[in-house]
Each structure stands twice: as C-alpha cells, then as structure tokens.
Amino acid sequence: MSESIYAMKPGFLHARADRVCRAVFGDKVYVRGLIEASNSCMRDCLYCGIRHGNKKIARYSLGDGEILASVSAGFAAGIRSFVIQGAEDPAFGAERLAALAGKIKSATFGEAALTYSFGTMSRQDYAMLQRAGCDRYLLRFETSDEKLHLKLRFSSLARRLEALEDLASLGFEVGSGFMTGLPGAVEGTMEADVELCRRYGFDMVGIGPFIPHPDTPLAGEQCEGLDPALDACAAVRIALPFANMPATTAAGSIAPDGRERMLACGANVLMPNIGPVDRKKDYELYPGKICLDEDGMKCLGCLGLRVKTIGKNLSMERGDSPAVLKRKKISLEGASPVHPAEAEARP
Ligand code: 5AD
Ligand code: FES
C-alpha cells in the first residue's frame, strides 16, 4: 500500500473510499442473514466475551432444527445469503457442519449462498465443508502483529494464515479482518493489518473497533473509539475495490450511527442477526451490542431506513464478491480490462 494513503486527511480518505465503493457496488448494501449458532467456545482469546474462561455467561448451542428454522424464515423474507457463525465449539465438528450445509442448501433450493465461521480447522475439514456446498468462510486474523496475536489468542498468526491459505486454495470465497485499537497495538499496526489484507487479496474483510468486555482480562483497557476502524475500512476499500466489506455490529455498538458511517467510507454489507431472539444477549463478544431485543426481520426495516440516510439501498441478492466473479472471468478469458474503480484506487 502506498504511504500516500495514510498522509491523506481522514475526510479525503473516506471520500475516496466511498467513490471506489460506489463505482463497484453502486448504491447497493448487501444483506447477510447472520445466525449465531453457539457461544460455547473452547478457546480463551483475551478480548472475547464468550471466551472459555468467562464463567458469567449462559452457554448455548443451537440445534440443527433451530438453525434451519431461522434460515427458512430469512429465505421467506427474501434473504439469499446466510452466515452461520459459532465459537470454536466441539459440538460443531466438520461432519455435522457438512450435513447441515446440505440441509441448508436444500431448504434454500440451492439459491442462497452459505457462509460458515467456526474458527480454525484442518484442511481436510475445510475440504469436507466445501464438498458439502459451503461457499464462503470467515476467519479474521484479528491482528497482523505476531507477538500480539500470540499473546491475545494463545495461537500463532502463522497457523491462522495457513488456515486462510487452505480456504483460498480449496476455492472458498474467503473473508478475514481485524480489530482496531487492540491493547498492545502500536503505531503502524493498523497499516500492517491493511497491508496483510491487500497481500492476501481477501474476498471479504470485516473490521471493528476493540471494545473492552468487563468479564475478560482486558476489562480495564482503553477503547479507542470508532475513528481508527473507519480509517482502516477506507484504506482496505481502496486496496481491495472488489471486496465485500460489512459495516460491523461493533461499529454500530460504540456509536449510534457507526454502521452508517462505515457504509459511507467503503463498507457495502450489513449482517442483521436473524437467529432466535432469546439467545442474542448471550452472544456477547463485547458489551453494548445492538439489536439484542429485535427480531431479525424487524431489523431489516430499520436497516432499510438507515441506509437511505446515506443514499444507499438494501439488496437481498446473494452478492457474490466481484473479486471472485472477476477471478472466474480471468481464468475463462485470460486478461481483463482495468475496472474504473481499480483505476481510482491506484495511488
Ligand atoms: N471487541 C470488538 N470485537 C470483538 N470481537 C471479539 N471480541 C471483541 C471485542 N471485545 C470480534 C473478533 C471476532 C469477531 C467475531 O468479533 O474480531 O473475530
Ligand atoms: Fe472463542 Fe477466541 S474466545 S475463538
């Protein structure tokens, strides 16, 4: 990434990212129906409210029937892209997830895109999910700083990146991302995070501000607020014009208009939670999470109005990453012309 991007005033950076985003996606904001399948995490990431060590939360793990019921309700409401996210819960092994993928594909008549997010797995397990019809996989790298990664996650950055490489080589649409303002991040960490996204060419990138959770070891740490996350979002949009980028719930949780502001500086996706309402409060990764009492379908109405305030509209399409469509096109046709958004993004 050119240094010149970081020399820009935030207003210019955000406006340029917005131009790139609108050149690729127009006024569309893709909707992904999110279902939080389990909060029973066996890992202990220091920042995360559902870490194993937090004994204060009620643990749950949805049954396949509950997940399918949420998918079917979302499908009936017009949603054509579903994200099933869980913690690293041993109850959601690859065999079960593969069988569930088949059921979700049948319940949606093969029309909906299916994304899983269940943490780091072996290449063989990812291959099984891919064969079962799973289209996309989300696995944030969280921070590109090796030492910080190990300290916060008790697992190496190299292992995380290996998993991301496995996913890409198996043909998944690959999503990753990071948090801004993590305790221990220094000047240059965010630039390195953005650069890692560019180097890996992720198809989807989710970025959110770190929000300290009171029942984690990072309880007393600072929250740097929304601005660094907005800057990072804009920089990634400029680096990866074709990536699908959500306006994250974390952004909406530290500022009432956080998601709209992200959608105005490069983000093009929203992920309303369409899972069972009575479980939402237990998937508390960080405090102040929004929309906990809302039925996901009600969220759709609210989100439709919110995106209009920034001149955008919700789209229920599958919203495949144009990066993936472009990859397929290139392999079919050889070279491809430079897209106007790519020309805009060049320093
Ligand atoms: N603050 C903000 N985001 C968090 N996540 C986990 N814990 C927190 C926190 N305290 C993010 C991580 C994870 C995603 C599902 O939520 O980036 O990948
Ligand atoms: Fe669940 Fe980190 S605490 S993956």
Side-chain angles (χ1 to χ4, degrees), residues 192-208:
D193 292 339
V194 173
E195 174 56 20
L196 193 152
C197 291
R198 191 200 59 74
R199 194 152 38 88
Y200 276 75
F202 297 124
D203 304 308
M204 306 176 275
V205 182
I207 297 165

Side-chain angles (χ1 to χ4, degrees), residues 23-85:
V24 177
F25 299 98
D27 70 349
K28 283 182 190 172
V29 175
Y30 294 135
V31 173
R32 318 296 192 203
L34 173 67
I35 298 160
E36 291 164 342
S38 165
N39 72 352
S40 303
C41 198
M42 62 176 190
R43 300 185 60 101
D44 240 339
C45 305
L46 293 184
Y47 45 79
C48 187
I50 63 169
R51 65 197 296 272
H52 183 69
N54 181 6
K55 302 298 176 207
K56 291 197 181 166
I57 55 165
R59 301 287 174 177
Y60 74 87
S61 190
L62 297 186
D64 290 0
E66 288 174 287
I67 296 170
L68 280 165
S70 297
V71 167
S72 296
F75 190 79
I79 297 176
R80 292 294 177 269
S81 168
F82 296 92
V83 178
I84 322 290
Q85 176 165 58

Side-chain angles (χ1 to χ4, degrees), residues 308-324:
K308 279 202 194 311
T309 64
I310 47 151
K312 292 194 172 187
N313 284 294
L314 294 185
S315 163
M316 306 289 252
E317 294 164 50
R318 273 173 64 108
D320 291 296
S321 163
V324 174

Side-chain angles (χ1 to χ4, degrees), residues 174-238:
V174 180
S176 193
F178 57 93
M179 281 174 278
T180 53
L182 276 171
V186 292
E187 216 185 308
T189 303
M190 187 186 98
E191 284 80 349
D193 292 339
V194 173
E195 174 56 20
L196 193 152
C197 291
R198 191 200 59 74
R199 194 152 38 88
Y200 276 75
F202 297 124
D203 304 308
M204 306 176 275
V205 182
I207 297 165
F210 161 71
I211 306 173
H213 189 296
D215 303 320
T216 64
L218 302 184
E221 298 290 343
Q222 276 291 110
C223 177
E224 305 246 309
L226 181 62
D227 288 341
L230 296 180
D231 295 346
C233 172
V236 170
R237 166 57 67 210
I238 292 166

